[in-house]
Every structure is written in C-alpha cells, then in structure tokens.
DNA sequence: ATAATCACCTGCTCGC
DNA sequence: TGCGAGCAGGTGATTA
C-alpha cells in the first residue's frame, strides 16, 4: 500500500486522532522489523504528548517534546487508530496506547517497515539526511534533475525512484509518471533533455496529487479496518496492465523488469 | 563515485 | 489438496 500518497493519506487520517494526545505506553509485541524497534521507545515517549504528525518522503514523524518517532511502513505496513481493547492480530506488532482509550496500532505482515526513536538535539536522523526534495514542494525542479543526471547512465526509472533524486516515487507511480511524460523507462537519465525533465516533473506531481486526492476518499472511515484502497486502480494507465492495450494508441503494453521491479510501458507512446 | 544486485519477511497466486 | 516457484506498494547494504 504505502507509496507517498498512501503515507500522506495515513498521516492525514491519524493526525487528528493523535496530535495533542498523551501517550500512556507503547506495547511492542514484535520488535524485529527491518531494524529492531528502539529499546527505549516506551520509556522515552510514555507520559509525553504527540505534538505533530509530519511526513518526510515515506517516513512519518511523530514529534514530541523529547524527540521524534520515525515510522516507515515498508511494503506492507499500516497504521490505524483503534479501541485499545481490540485484540491484536498476528501482524499487529506495536501499539501506541493513548490516554483516551484508543491506540495507534502498527500492522506489518512483511516487517519491512521500521519504528525508531530519535532524541531531540541529535541532529537530523541519518535515514533522513540524504533525502532529495519533496516532489510536491517548490524545491523539486526540473533544472536540478537535468543537472544531476548529466553523465549518468542509470535508467530513468531507477533515477526517479532513487530517494536522493526525489523522495516518494515508488514503483507504481514511477511507471505511471513515465507513461504520462511519454518517456521510455529504459532511457538513460543522462540522455534526457531539460525540456523533457520539465514535463516529467509536472507528471510526477500530477500523478501523486491525483492519488492523494483519491486517497482522501478512504480518509472518512479511516479508523475502520476496511479502507483498503482500490481507489487508484481504475486510473492506472500502465501499472499492472502488461500485455493489455495502451489507452492512448491501442498497441500492446510491454512488461519488463528494471532493478527487479515490474515495469510496464508503451513502446509507441514512450520513447 | 556509480550501477547493479542482494537482503529482509510473509502471503498470495499459479501451474503441476 | 498439496507443494514449489515466483511475485508483491521499499530501500539500505553489499558487490563489482
């Protein structure tokens, strides 16, 4: 689930329920996520208030007076606000138990996510240190992409999925943005003109904005366990459509693998 | 420095 | 019905 739009949807969904709420305690049932859940997490956070829920790339940042909880959802993670008494399922690894009888529950079958404590005053967390610009911010500019890609042979799809280039572009939206921009995913990043990077930047923004907007519809019943987003499915042009016809030109969409990730494109529309 | 590959883990689908 | 193979929305670490 979690590409940037899903993480942003999660942020918007949980923040009204946990901002300015006091954390009573944190229960860790499974500490072996991508990295071990910080040992001192409950000790550091209990009795403190979550002041703000921020997002940087696909990381969620729960800010308190003493520091920040970094949460990444990996491939299969999710966060829900539930009644604290609700029995924990097999993959419900961590509960942030709030004062009001609710709990922020972290669920992650594959355990590729992480939950890390970062004490205030210890600078920028190493995981956030080298991240590129937010795709929806003014810092994300085609001129920088153009300059940073000169002389590089990395494939354009891998280039835009690299968090040093720009954060938050996952496999689905890399495929979709390249389709909208008419760029073949196998093209070398260093071989793409400034004008085309300008188009690509606006297509990345467009596709993410659309998805966030669609994600908004699942916001309403966010605390329910349902809310699984089929919302963007129908608006996908290429992802998951290998072998089917291009919606623009009717030719057959090609599916290949780039960096072990499925990549679908139209050989006619994308050059 | 850059590019490609590996690794982490569970669950689901597909073909036999 | 069972079993192995392969694949899945991510990304830091390792290798070449």
């Amino acid at each position: 689930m979690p590409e940037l739009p899903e993480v942003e949807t999660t942020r918007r969904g949980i923040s009204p329920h946990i901002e300015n709420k006091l954390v009573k305690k944190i229960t860790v049932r499974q500490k072996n996520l991508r990295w071990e859940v910080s040992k001192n997490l409950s000790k550091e956070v209990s009795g403190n208030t979550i002041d703000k829920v921020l997002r940087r790339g696909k990381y969620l940042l729960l800010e308190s007076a003493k520091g920040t909880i970094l949460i990444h959802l990996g491939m299969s993670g999710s966060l829900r606000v539930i009644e604290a008494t609700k029995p924990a399922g097999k993959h419900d690894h961590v509960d942030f138990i709030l004062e009001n009888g609710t709990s922020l529950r972290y669920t992650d079958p594959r355990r590729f996510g992480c939950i890390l404590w970062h004490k205030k005053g210890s600078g920028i967390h190493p995981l956030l240190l080298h991240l590129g610009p937010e795709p929806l911010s003014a810092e994300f500019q085609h001129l920088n992409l153009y300059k940073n890609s000169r002389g590089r042979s990395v494939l354009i799809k891998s280039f835009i999925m690299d968090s040093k280039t720009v954060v938050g572009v996952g496999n689905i939206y890399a495929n979709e943005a390249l389709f909208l921009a008419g760029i073949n995913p196998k093209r070398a990043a260093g071989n793409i003109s400034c004008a085309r990077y300008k188009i690509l930047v606006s297509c990345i923004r467009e596709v993410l904005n659309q998805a966030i907007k669609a994600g908004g519809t699942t916001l309403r019943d966010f605390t329910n366990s349902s809310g699984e987003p089929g919302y963007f499915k129908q608006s996908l042009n290429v992802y998951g459509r290998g072998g089917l016809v291009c919606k623009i030109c009717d030719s057959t969409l090609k599916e290949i693998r780039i960096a072990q990730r499925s990549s679908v494109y139209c050989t006619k529309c994308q050059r």
Side-chain angles (χ1 to χ4, degrees):
Chain A
M1 282 149 254
E3 290 225 19
L4 183 142
E6 183 65 18
V7 177
E8 177 61 19
T9 300
T10 297
R11 189 192 69 76
R12 294 179 188 185
I14 65 172
S15 56
H17 300 281
I18 63 173
E19 280 182 357
N20 304 313
K21 299 283 194 305
L22 190 129
V23 178
K24 221 157 73 176
K25 101 183 248 244
I26 299 173
T27 301
V28 179
R29 297 181 202 85
Q30 166 63 272
K31 62 178 166 51
N32 296 317
L33 304 184
R34 178 164 196 192
W35 298 286
E36 188 173 312
V37 176
S38 298
K39 285 200 172 72
N40 48 357
L41 187 65
S42 189
K43 208 181 82 181
E44 294 280 0
V45 179
S46 296
N48 281 277
T49 298
I50 304 296
D51 300 318
K52 206 76 194 155
V53 183
L54 306 176
R55 179 185 59 74
R56 177 73 175 101
K58 293 174 190 164
Y59 290 93
L60 286 168
L61 311 173
L62 277 49
E63 308 249 283
S64 75
K66 291 172 68 183
T68 302
I69 306 167
L70 268 77
I71 302 179
H72 198 291
L73 301 176
M75 292 272 255
S76 58
S78 62
L79 283 167
R80 293 228 159 71
V81 177
I82 49 137
E83 297 301 314
T85 51
K86 185 179 179 185
K90 188 176 176 185
H91 302 297
D92 296 338
H93 305 315
V94 178
D95 276 3
F96 301 79
I97 301 164
L98 307 177
E99 211 179 21
N100 60 3
T102 65
S103 192
L104 178 68
R105 180 163 285 178
Y106 176 87
T107 306
D108 186 2
R110 292 178 73 180
R111 291 191 268 130
F112 284 177
C114 65
I115 300 179
L116 300 170
W117 172 246
H118 189 56
K119 215 179 176 67
K120 182 154 276 182
S122 42
I124 298 175
H125 193 280
L127 288 170
L128 307 181
L129 196 56
H130 301 292
L131 293 181
E134 288 289 328
L136 303 177
S137 77
E139 280 76 59
F140 183 43
Q141 290 173 8
H142 68 280
L143 209 53
N144 291 331
L145 287 194
Y146 176 73
K147 281 192 283 195
N148 296 341
S149 62
R150 289 313 86 182
R152 297 198 48 189
S153 62
V154 64
L155 307 189
I156 184 61
K157 179 166 181 259
S158 299
F159 184 65
I160 61 171
M161 288 180 73
D162 183 343
S163 65
K164 291 192 286 299
T165 303
V166 56
V167 296
V169 180
N171 195 40
I172 292 178
Y173 296 116
N175 279 297
E176 294 299 315
L178 287 169
F179 174 78
L180 290 184
I183 297 173
N184 187 308
K186 286 175 74 179
R187 185 176 275 275
N191 199 18
I192 290 173
S193 71
C194 198
R196 301 193 85 195
Y197 271 117
K198 188 169 184 180
I199 294 168
L200 181 55
V201 162
S202 76
C203 289
I204 289 171
R205 288 205 175 110
E206 170 71 9
V207 92
L208 294 177
N209 273 322
Q210 289 298 323
I212 290 172
K213 207 189 273 180
T217 60
T218 59
L219 275 183
R220 252 163 277 161
D221 53 329
F222 190 81
T223 54
N224 294 350
S225 55
S226 54
E228 229 38 65
Y231 57 84
F232 52 72
K233 277 275 187 191
Q234 62 256 58
S235 56
L236 293 178
N237 288 303
V238 285
Y239 183 83
R241 299 194 65 244
L244 302 179
V245 295
C246 172
K247 292 179 180 177
I248 304 289
C249 77
D250 262 11
S251 56
T252 304
L253 295 175
K254 190 171 179 182
E255 177 153 6
I256 61 171
R257 299 193 68 80
I258 295 174
Q260 287 106 263
R261 312 301 296 278
S262 95
S263 308
V264 185
Y265 65 105
C266 175
T267 52
K268 200 169 154 194
C269 297
Q270 294 174 258
R271 305 279 175 159

